[in-house]
Amino acid sequence: MTVHHPAPAVLRAAGTALILDVSGPGLPAVLHWGADPGDLGDTDQLLLGLRPSWPVASVDTPVRLRLIPQQVDGWVGRPGLAGHRDGVPPHLRLTLTEPVSLAGQAGEGGRLTVRARDEAAGLSVTTHIEMDAFGVVRLRHEITNEGPDGFTLDTVACLLPVGDQAGEVLDFTGRWARERSPQRRPLAHGLTARESRRGRTGHDATGLFLVGEPGFGFRHGQVWAAHAGWSGNHVHYAELLPEHRPVLGAGELLAPGEIRLTPGGTYRTPWAYFTWSDEGMDGLSDRLHQHLRARPSHPRTPRPVMLNTWEAVYFDHRLDRLTELAERAARVGVERFVLDDGWFTGRRDDRAGLGDWTVDSAVWPDGLHPLVDRVRSLGMEFGLWVEPEMVNPDSDLARAHPDWILAAPGRTAPPARNQQVLDLAAPEAYAHIAARLHALVDEYGITYLKWDHNRDLLESAHLGAAGVHAQTTAVYRLLDELRERHPGLEIESCSSGGARIDYGILERTDRIWASDTNDPLERQRIQRYTGLFVPPELTGSHVGAATAHTTGRTSPLPIRLATALFGHAGIEWDITACTEEELDRLAAWTGLYKRLRPLLHGGRTVRVDHPDPAAWLHGVVADDRRHAVFALFQLASSTASVAARIRIPGLAPELTYTVTVRPEFQAASAHPSAMVPWLVEGSVRVPGAVLAGVGLAAPLLDPEQCLVLELTAE
């Protein structure tokens, strides 16, 4: 007798497909995630053709990767779900409680809901899978304790299989002022994991965790990637077992005893995001950028030119000095003026005052009103720096409420930047901070908060138990409350630079600060790899002083301007000390940025696999491919005496482009070898196919020189 199986559940969009076998009583097994194969043909024949053999010297059945891997299926890798009741772990055998439901338009992604239960274990699981119109998959699990007593959850992960072609791993590490440094290695048998126990995303967080075909690049090769959308402790991993093809996983990293489910209690994982591309890392970026831009909360207004006062004045807050800075800012075209750290009570350095969110009357006898009024009279918005999750021991708040510090009873966590963490999961602490923030926004009509977070969460304890999860959800709730009560308020996620960049925080914020360094050479790498999963309009990028305070390196103005152009642009420099020529160049740069904003913040990012490792080439191409801007950055001296040609992919091959050199970034002087003829002319007309396949002659640039090109189609 022939048994007919139900058709697989399929989500497909933009050339991507996720195919699940829903034919059995157990959790669906993932048959495929990657390129959309089109028509699947006869279901029975498909399932027959994909059924693997039994593994050698293992279980007497094929090992199948279900949405939550279980040992009953022969899975011996990292568990998808683990926990215990008083030390007794249930070995889960989840079965469906209802048919898998599929919603959405065919070929445009959709949503899958899977409900399953292990009655003997007293646990039920609901899995939500979504694919958007750009092929981005996001997945989460909800675990409910249906037993009569408590259940301690140890781990829950979201994972998907990748293709057998995967042979390399690319992830990222870093430190303060050097975030998103790539590291690449072969994918080997076993577990390749990146775990963060910092209580925040971390300077060394990978952000995007990739596996791909050996040798994949920005513009070529199949690549699969995962991202945990969570701002606390988290894990990303790839695992390759002899019994199964590679898998990618991501999720929250739980501390022992951190999640204890009472009867009827539910834990919901953060969203884990999965993306596939057969066009290299730029293909991943394109999907992820479109995913974020499609959100209802994504900033729609042009991203204003900002001036942040930190590197201009540090803690030296004086009305006359800041007023002069605001006037210069308006002269060069700044649209948003942000007052950084140093405005509140007792804050003359970083050793005191955090937690006392009242304006320092000794420095500001009339409050911030005189400065705010002047800023607004000059046509600029006013923004303010805050660090609501932290407290200095030398503060009125800490002295009055030492019990509000996030620490185990009778212990204090090691200090970092002279501060401790405020336990926002404590209702009284939360209410106090929320009230102060609402009062500040209301009194001064603040439209922008630079929200900082300057230390890791170490030895974090809430009510005697591990406290990172509760702290993270409390911060999310506070951000959500602020945005609900103050429509139009924008918030920047800064965490001593780029230590809190993830899709969990980006659900609630409008901008990230990629790094505390404004050194353009450091910024080139940081912005290139942050941009794999965050689009330019969400990435703060500022023109700093000639000598960077983080590295001590002195860089010319053109490369500082060009680097800041490719993001949400701003200035972080004491421009009251600028020459008239420097001010004129800043004004020309802000004018160009404003004109190019629709392209820079709505187009497709293109990173070129350039043959010279000493030079990087990247740009943005409009969706209709009629307008583009590219920049060639010389990071170090080249071994060649004639530069490699500039090849520009991503354009329409049938269109002819006028390629124009932007004068705003011209160096004061250039080596004679830089004077290639078309650059002397200032522009050239070339078909898109020629630009991509043949290229243009390039100048031999000195280190820290750059060339910015604007391309327009006829």
Side-chain angles (χ1 to χ4, degrees):
M1 179 178 177
T2 302
V3 177
H4 295 288
H5 298 92
V10 183
L11 297 175
R12 50 167 43 112
T16 299
L18 176 64
I19 304 173
L20 302 177
D21 178 4
V22 295
S23 62
L27 279 179
V30 184
L31 297 176
H32 172 75
W33 168 49
D36 187 350
D39 183 12
L40 300 181
D42 180 87
T43 294
D44 295 328
Q45 291 297 302
L46 174 72
L47 295 179
L48 175 64
L50 291 178
R51 188 172 179 85
S53 64
W54 298 3
V56 175
S58 183
V59 291
D60 296 337
T61 183
V63 175
R64 312 189 73 203
L65 183 74
R66 301 191 185 275
L67 291 173
I68 295 179
Q70 302 159 94
Q71 288 202 344
V72 69
D73 297 309
W75 180 259
V76 293
R78 187 185 182 106
L81 191 161
H84 63 91
R85 296 186 191 275
D86 292 329
V88 179
H91 294 293
L92 290 177
R93 299 190 176 192
L94 292 161
T95 57
L96 295 178
T97 58
E98 59 185 63
V100 174
S101 63
L102 174 62
Q105 293 289 109
E108 298 180 5
R111 299 181 304 279
L112 273 171
T113 303
V114 180
R115 303 183 191 279
R117 174 185 295 124
D118 183 334
E119 188 170 352
L123 292 177
S124 66
V125 177
T126 300
T127 299
H128 301 278
I129 308 174
E130 299 177 358
M131 179 184 285
D132 67 13
F134 316 109
V136 176
V137 176
R138 67 175 192 170
L139 191 156
R140 79 183 331 166
H141 301 298
E142 296 175 1
I143 316 300
T144 299
N145 178 16
E146 296 184 345
D149 51 10
F151 181 81
T152 300
L153 195 60
D154 293 332
T155 185
V156 188
C158 300
L159 67 161
L160 290 176
V162 304
D164 296 319
Q165 309 94 318
E168 286 188 337
V169 176
L170 175 65
D171 63 355
F172 302 89
T173 184
R175 59 165 173 83
W176 176 78
R178 207 183 193 281
E179 297 88 340
R180 252 77 61 208
S181 296
Q183 50 187 17
R184 190 165 183 152
R185 54 205 180 279
L187 175 64
H189 275 158
L191 188 67
T192 304
R194 292 294 308 281
E195 296 183 341
S196 174
R197 292 177 175 82
R198 297 181 179 276
R200 56 175 172 171
T201 321
H203 289 106
D204 63 335
T206 184
L208 208 60
F209 188 98
L210 304 89
V211 300
E213 294 178 316
F216 69 87
F218 286 111
R219 305 291 299 174
H220 66 277
Q222 283 201 85
V223 193
W224 295 259
H227 170 75
W230 181 247
S231 308
N233 296 335
H234 62 277
V235 60
H236 295 85
Y237 65 93
E239 188 165 21
L240 177 58
L241 300 174
E243 295 91 345
H244 201 279
R245 65 190 189 277
V247 299
L248 266 182
E252 182 178 6
L253 186 63
L254 299 175
E258 189 164 20
I259 300 297
R260 298 173 179 172
L261 298 178
T262 58
T266 296
Y267 166 79
R268 185 170 65 175
T269 71
W271 285 110
Y273 295 79
F274 297 91
T275 319
W276 166 86
S277 165
D278 60 355
E279 297 178 338
M281 291 182 283
D282 275 5
L284 296 179
S285 279
D286 190 41
R287 294 182 189 275
L288 291 169
H289 291 184
Q290 291 184 84
H291 169 81
L292 290 176
R293 287 170 176 167
R295 303 171 302 159
S297 62
H298 195 74
R300 304 295 172 193
T301 57
R303 311 310 295 138
V305 181
M306 290 178 48
L307 184 139
N308 184 275
T309 66
W310 177 242
E311 291 189 22
V313 302
Y314 296 101
F315 290 107
D316 185 15
H317 282 208
R318 288 178 279 136
L319 178 59
D320 57 348
R321 185 178 183 189
L322 287 162
T323 299
E324 183 185 5
L325 186 62
E327 290 166 351
R328 288 291 183 97
R331 178 193 185 281
V332 301
V334 168
E335 299 161 301
R336 175 183 286 160
F337 185 91
V338 180
L339 183 65
D340 209 287
D341 193 0
W343 56 268
F344 47 96
T345 302
R347 190 67 165 178
R348 304 280 58 80
D349 53 39
D350 68 0
R351 293 189 291 270
L354 280 178
D356 298 339
W357 300 109
T358 56
V359 178
D360 193 332
S361 59
V363 179
W364 302 95
D366 299 312
L368 298 177
H369 293 290
L371 178 62
V372 173
D373 292 345
R374 183 59 179 143
V375 166
R376 293 216 174 96
S377 74
L378 292 166
M380 296 182 290
E381 299 176 24
F382 181 79
L384 194 65
W385 179 95
V386 292
E387 193 175 1
E389 300 158 71
M390 302 296 163
V391 61
N392 285 128
D394 185 4
S395 66
D396 291 341
L397 181 67
R399 284 185 284 270
H401 296 285
D403 54 314
W404 288 1
I405 292 176
L406 188 65
R411 296 185 179 221
T412 302
R417 204 174 184 246
N418 306 299
Q419 62 194 52
Q420 294 289 339
V421 182
L422 195 65
D423 185 0
L424 290 180
E428 299 85 358
Y430 179 99
H432 172 81
I433 292 298
R436 289 306 311 137
L437 292 173
H438 293 312
L440 284 165
V441 173
D442 287 335
E443 180 176 358
Y444 294 105
I446 293 167
T447 56
Y448 185 85
L449 289 175
K450 179 182 176 182
W451 187 295
D452 215 337
H453 180 280
N454 274 307
R455 64 158 294 165
D456 293 341
L457 277 59
L458 305 177
E459 295 188 343
S460 300
H462 171 68
L463 299 179
V468 170
H469 177 86
Q471 180 78 358
T472 306
T473 56
V475 171
Y476 285 172
R477 181 161 51 95
L478 180 57
L479 289 165
D480 292 342
E481 179 184 325
L482 277 164
R483 293 168 68 91
E484 182 178 355
R485 284 190 47 176
H486 307 282
L489 175 69
E490 290 195 7
I491 301 174
E492 172 183 327
S493 173
C494 176
S495 187
S496 46
R500 188 157 66 181
I501 301 175
D502 60 78
Y503 285 6
I505 204 70
L506 275 173
E507 285 186 31
R508 299 157 173 89
T509 55
D510 307 276
R511 186 183 198 253
I512 55 97
W513 185 228
S515 178
D516 273 347
T517 187
N518 288 315
D519 180 321
L521 286 188
E522 297 298 319
R523 271 280 179 159
Q524 281 296 312
R525 184 199 62 259
I526 292 166
Q527 290 178 192
R528 168 169 282 216
Y529 292 112
T530 300
L532 285 179
F533 66 112
V534 181
E537 65 270 24
L538 298 181
T539 304
S541 184
H542 292 179
V543 180
T547 300
H549 87 134
T550 54
T551 64
R553 179 162 38 215
T554 299
S555 302
L557 183 56
I559 194 172
R560 286 149 51 211
L561 294 172
T563 300
L565 181 72
F566 289 89
H568 181 184
I571 300 169
E572 195 155 346
W573 180 15
D574 183 6
I575 59 174
T576 65
C578 286
T579 65
E580 288 299 314
E581 180 187 359
E582 288 173 325
L583 292 173
D584 288 344
R585 295 195 75 163
L586 279 172
W589 169 77
T590 60
L592 178 68
Y593 168 77
K594 291 173 185 178
R595 180 172 68 79
L596 292 178
R597 273 186 298 211
L599 167 63
L600 292 167
H601 300 162
R604 298 186 171 190
T605 298
V606 175
R607 305 169 191 86
V608 180
D609 294 304
H610 195 58
D612 184 357
W616 281 0
L617 177 63
H618 65 77
V620 181
V621 179
D623 282 343
D624 65 5
R625 298 198 286 180
R626 302 192 68 85
H627 191 197
V629 60
F630 275 79
L632 175 68
F633 292 92
Q634 194 70 33
L635 307 182
S637 59
S638 176
T639 56
S641 60
V642 176
R645 285 178 177 169
I646 300 171
R647 293 179 174 85
I648 301 178
L651 305 172
E654 72 278 7
L655 296 178
T656 297
Y657 293 85
T658 299
V659 185
T660 304
V661 182
R662 292 307 319 171
E664 294 86 353
F665 309 96
Q666 296 288 81
S669 62
H671 193 276
S673 63
M675 298 302 167
V676 299
W678 78 269
L679 289 175
V680 175
E681 291 290 327
S683 67
V684 67
R685 293 174 60 251
V686 184
V690 174
L691 287 168
V694 180
L696 296 173
L700 187 64
L701 299 177
D702 290 327
E704 296 190 84
Q705 288 187 335
C706 62
L707 184 70
V708 178
L709 308 174
E710 185 173 6
L711 296 85
T712 52
E714 299 174 3

